[in-house]
Amino acid sequence: MSPAVMIAQDSPRRMSAGLAIDAVSHAFGPEPVLSGLSVTLPAAQVGCLIGPSGCGKSTLLAMIGGLLRPDQGRVAHPFARPAFVFQDPCLLPWRDARGNIAFGLNALPMSRTECSARADRLLGTVGLTAEDGEKYPRELSGGMRQRVALARALAIEPDLLLLDEPFSALDVGLRRQMQALVRRLIDARGLTTVLVTHDLAEAVRMADRIVVLSPRPAHVAAQHDIGMPRAARDDGFVQAEVGRLLADPATAEALAVEGLS
Amino acid sequence: MIPLRTRLAQALDYVWGGWGAAASLLLLVALWEAGHEAYGTLVLPSPRETFAMLWRMTLDGRVWPAVVETGRNALAGFLGGVLVGGLLGALAGLSDMMRRLLAPVSTLMLGIPAIAWVVLSLLWFGGSGLAVVFTVLVTSAPVVFASAAEGVRSLDGALQRMARAFRVPRRVLVWDVYLPHMLSYLFPAVATALALSWKVAVMTELLSGAGGIGDGLATARVQVDTVKAMAWILVVVALLLAVEYLLLEPLRRHVLGWRRELPGAETRDPQGI
C-alpha cells in the first residue's frame, strides 16, 4: 500500500470488518468543519451522508478515502482499496473513454493487455458500447461521462466505494438511471459504499444507513437504518420513508437549513 | 496503442487532403500570372521567370546556405525564447507575486513592435547573427510566457485530486496528467512563436545585412531586381509552408487530437507582422 494512505488501520483481531469513524474533529484554518463526529458502518452496507451544503460531507469522505488526516479522532476501516466517484467526472480530456477507465489501473501491477481487457469489460458493465470507448470526454454526454467515471472506480476492483454526489449534476431521468445502475452493481458485488448526497429521496433509495449531518461544524444530527432490501424499494416506499424521516425533528431541522439557503 | 494500419490510413488521408491546398495555391499562381500580364516584369515578374531564377540561384549555391543561416538564427532565437518565456511563465504560474511582477512586463514586451527590437538589436549587436537571434528571442518569449503561466497555474486542480485519489504513481501523474495539460496550453503558443521566429529573422536580416534570406532580399532590392526578390520570397514562403504542414500540423494532430477542432483556432500572429 502506498505511503499516501493515512488511515489508521485496525489490527485484524479487533476489527469489526466495517467502517468506524470515532470522534473526528477537523478545521480548515480557524474554521471548524467537523466536531466530534462518530459513525459506524458494517461491511457490505451502503452508508449515506446527508446534510446541508458545505457541512463537511466531502471532507469526511476524503478522510475515509485516506486523502486527508483528521485533526482529532480516528477513521478506521479494513479496506485497502477505496475508489472515488466525484460530482464532476474528472476525466482526462486527452484520454479516450477506455483510457480513462484504465487510468486507476496504473497504480496496480497489471500488464497492458490485462488493463485494456478489463476496461473493455467495464464499458459493458456500465452500459457503454465499444465505440463509446474510443470517444474522448468532450464527445460524450454528461451521463456517459459519469458512467465512465463509475467504470474507472470499479476497474480497480475496490473494496470501498466512495461516491461524492455523483448524480447531482445529472438531470432527473439520468439520475434515476444511474442510481439504479449503481444500486445493481453495489448489490452484485457486496461493496461497502459511502454516498454523499443532499437529496433525501436518493438516500432512501440507495442506503442501508442514513447519517444526517448538522450544519457546519458538522456532527451527527440523526441516524436511520432502512431494513427493506434495495431492490424492493419502489417509489411509494421511498415517498413514505422520506415522510417518516422528516417527521423526526432532528432530521428535519438539519435538512431544513438547506431548504432555506 | 493505435494500430499501424490506422496510422497509415491517417497519414494517407492527411496527404490526400493536400489536394485542396494545392488547388488553392495554384489558383494564386494563376492570379499572379494574370497580374504579370497586366503590369509587366518590373512590377510583377511571371511565375515562370521567378521559378527559373530560383532554380538558377539554387544551382549557384546561394539559396541553401542562406536557408541554413536563417534557419540557424531563427531556431536559436526561438529555442531561447521558449526557454526564457517558459521558465519565467512557470515561475509566474507558481507564485502570485512573480505573476504580478512579470505579467505587465510580458504585456509590454508583446506590445513593442518587432521592428523596434530590430533597430535596438542592430545598435547593440551590429550586423551580426546575434542581432537576429536576440530579436527573435525577445519577440517569441512573451508569446510563450502567458501560456506557460496559465498552464502551470491550472495544474493543481480537480484532475490532480482525482489522480491522488486513485493513488497512481508519480510517473503516471507527470506523464498522463501534468504533461498533456501543459502541452495543451504550451503547444499553440510554441507553434505561434515558431512561425513568428522565421518572419522576424528574415526581417532582421534584411535590415542588418547579417546574411541569410533577408540579406538576399535586401540585395535584390538594391539592384531593383524584382525577379530575384520574388524568388527569395518564394524561398521564405516554401519554408513557412514546410514548417507548418510537415512539422506543426502533424504534431498538432498528434498532441491535441483529443480536441478535435482542427486546424488550430489559436491566433497565429499576435505581432501583426
Side-chain angles (χ1 to χ4, degrees):
Chain A
M1 175 172 300
S2 80
V5 186
M6 294 180 291
I7 321 160
Q9 299 255 336
D10 269 340
S11 66
R13 273 178 290 114
R14 264 194 53 214
M15 127 191 129
S16 57
L19 170 68
I21 297 167
D22 187 22
V24 162
S25 296
H26 195 75
F28 288 128
E31 195 182 349
V33 182
L34 306 172
S35 82
L37 192 145
S38 298
V39 176
T40 59
L41 181 72
Q45 288 215 351
V46 178
C48 206
L49 299 172
I50 185 167
S53 310
C55 77
K57 298 174 296 229
S58 296
T59 307
L60 192 57
L61 202 68
M63 283 175 185
I64 298 170
L67 296 178
L68 192 68
R69 190 204 293 272
D71 290 344
Q72 282 165 36
R74 26 195 274 121
V75 176
H77 60 67
F79 308 114
R81 210 179 270 175
F84 278 91
V85 179
F86 305 100
Q87 177 177 354
D88 181 301
C90 284
L91 303 180
L92 300 175
W94 41 82
R95 287 261 176 280
D96 60 13
R98 188 176 278 119
N100 268 294
I101 293 174
F103 179 72
L105 301 177
N106 281 312
L108 308 178
M110 266 181 114
S111 76
R112 256 183 180 207
T113 40
E114 273 180 282
C115 283
S116 71
R118 195 181 279 189
D120 279 339
R121 225 175 30 246
L122 276 155
L123 272 173
T125 308
V126 297
L128 294 173
T129 64
E131 292 96 79
D132 294 334
E134 312 282 319
K135 289 182 184 159
Y136 289 95
R138 59 179 292 142
E139 301 169 298
L140 297 169
S141 68
M144 287 159 104
R145 274 182 230 155
Q146 203 53 283
R147 280 169 198 264
V148 173
L150 180 64
R152 177 178 62 193
L154 293 174
I156 64 171
E157 298 194 333
D159 46 12
L160 177 63
L161 190 59
L162 302 170
L163 308 172
D164 194 351
E165 306 204 25
F167 314 121
S168 50
L170 306 175
D171 63 53
V172 181
L174 269 177
R175 194 181 307 169
R176 293 292 293 271
Q177 257 180 34
M178 283 295 285
Q179 285 168 352
L181 172 67
V182 170
R183 221 159 63 162
R184 260 190 296 115
L185 292 171
I186 290 173
D187 280 342
R189 287 154 203 243
L191 257 176
T192 312
T193 303
V194 180
L195 169 69
V196 164
T197 182
H198 58 256
D199 175 2
L200 191 56
E202 180 172 295
V204 169
R205 232 172 251 128
M206 308 284 295
D208 296 302
R209 171 167 294 175
I210 298 176
V211 177
V212 183
L213 300 183
S214 70
R216 190 183 266 218
H219 55 87
V220 176
Q223 184 174 310
H224 307 278
D225 287 345
I226 298 180
M228 172 85 85
R230 255 182 291 283
R233 298 177 194 172
D234 54 17
D235 286 352
F237 171 81
V238 171
Q239 242 167 34
E241 194 68 7
V242 167
R244 191 178 70 82
L245 296 187
L246 284 177
D248 168 42
T251 305
E253 193 197 330
L255 297 181
V257 175
E258 186 176 34
L260 293 177
S261 66
Chain B
M1 290 237 276
I2 304 165
L4 187 67
R5 202 188 302 170
T6 321
R7 284 233 168 139
L8 204 66
Q10 278 172 350
L12 277 176
D13 202 39
Y14 180 59
V15 172
W16 189 252
W19 284 116
S24 94
L25 287 180
L26 286 175
L27 188 68
L28 194 68
V29 173
L31 282 175
W32 175 6
E33 176 69 36
H36 160 71
E37 278 165 21
Y39 296 103
T41 299
L42 191 64
V43 174
L44 196 61
S46 76
R48 193 190 304 263
E49 275 175 283
T50 310
F51 280 104
M53 172 60 90
L54 179 58
W55 182 241
R56 251 200 326 281
M57 277 161 43
T58 312
L59 289 184
D60 287 352
R62 269 183 290 168
V63 172
W64 188 241
V67 168
V68 171
E69 171 102 34
T70 303
R72 204 182 49 212
N73 289 337
L75 207 65
F78 162 75
L79 289 179
V82 168
L83 205 68
V84 171
L87 283 179
L88 290 180
L91 266 181
L94 288 173
S95 131
D96 250 11
M97 193 192 71
M98 289 303 282
R99 190 164 51 85
R100 265 182 231 134
L101 275 176
L102 290 172
V105 177
S106 162
T107 311
L108 185 129
M109 301 280 272
L110 212 54
I112 296 177
I115 198 75
W117 284 116
V118 174
V119 172
L120 278 181
S121 67
L122 286 183
L123 292 172
W124 291 342
F125 302 102
S128 70
L130 204 57
V132 182
V133 175
F134 173 80
T135 313
V136 172
L137 193 153
V138 290
T139 43
S140 56
V143 175
V144 178
F145 172 85
S147 316
E150 206 39 50
V152 170
R153 211 149 71 90
S154 51
L155 266 182
D156 187 48
L159 287 181
Q160 202 203 17
R161 190 181 58 142
M162 183 280 293
R164 231 156 58 79
F166 278 94
R167 297 175 186 171
V168 295
R170 187 134 202 98
R171 171 182 56 80
V172 175
L173 191 67
V174 170
W175 192 254
D176 272 0
V177 181
Y178 288 172
L179 195 72
H181 175 91
M182 282 306 289
L183 268 182
S184 73
Y185 276 87
L186 270 182
F187 189 85
V190 168
T192 305
L194 184 59
L196 183 72
S197 66
W198 277 103
K199 290 182 256 184
V200 171
V202 170
M203 189 168 65
T204 315
E205 284 169 349
L206 188 141
L207 291 170
S208 70
I213 298 170
D215 203 15
L217 263 175
T219 314
R221 193 197 63 155
V222 170
Q223 298 167 347
V224 202
D225 191 338
T226 329
V227 184
K228 215 179 259 170
M230 284 300 283
W232 280 116
I233 291 171
L234 275 186
V235 174
V236 179
V237 169
L239 280 173
L240 272 176
L241 287 179
V243 168
E244 177 66 31
Y245 287 107
L246 297 181
L247 182 71
L248 290 180
E249 189 58 31
L251 258 180
R252 193 176 285 131
R253 273 167 198 251
H254 183 72
V255 172
L256 301 182
W258 53 273
R259 289 195 162 170
R260 303 262 164 104
E261 48 185 13
L262 305 160
E266 77 275 13
T267 46
R268 283 279 162 77
D269 201 347
Q271 295 265 343
I273 298 161

